[in-house]
Amino acid sequence: QVQLVESGGGLVQAGGSLRLSCAASGRTFGVSDMGWFRQAPGKEREFVAAINWNGGSAAYADSVKGRFTISRDNAKNTVSLQMNSLKPEETAVYYCAVRRWAGWTNGPHRPHEYGYWGQGTQVTVSS
């Protein structure tokens, strides 16, 4: 079974930075696209960023483009999300997920394209 565990969330002031990490077990890295989504209270889960199976392509939500960077290390079975210049409205639970759809697209990706999900890590951005 594939297991995903997110870490790195926490409390940060507006304008600050956080780096989220996702550690995976099972056969997924080097095979599947990976993504980050977030869900704020009362809102639907939204796409943040994704990276293809070999790290050669990445996609970002328009709202985070230029501020967030997704990366992966297939040798270490990890995917990361560097988040800079964070805004209070980006307070949410951030989820790592494995894409199940065949064929890379530049995005935005939708949650139904993804299969395995982690339990999420809370990011709180204070004003």
Side-chain angles (χ1 to χ4, degrees), residues 12-27:
V12 64
Q13 294 184 8
S17 299
L18 284 174
R19 185 175 181 87
L20 307 182
S21 295
C22 174
S25 62
R27 188 170 183 268

Side-chain angles (χ1 to χ4, degrees), residues 2-14:
V2 175
Q3 293 181 265
L4 303 172
V5 180
E6 301 95 336
S7 62
L11 176 64
V12 64
Q13 294 184 8

Side-chain angles (χ1 to χ4, degrees), residues 1-58:
Q1 294 184 208
V2 175
Q3 293 181 265
L4 303 172
V5 180
E6 301 95 336
S7 62
L11 176 64
V12 64
Q13 294 184 8
S17 299
L18 284 174
R19 185 175 181 87
L20 307 182
S21 295
C22 174
S25 62
R27 188 170 183 268
T28 181
F29 279 83
V31 177
S32 301
D33 304 337
M34 300 290 295
W36 286 95
F37 291 76
R38 64 190 178 193
Q39 188 166 23
K43 296 184 178 180
E44 297 190 9
R45 193 164 298 188
E46 68 172 349
F47 172 72
V48 177
I51 189 165
N52 82 326
W53 68 275
N54 66 2
S57 299

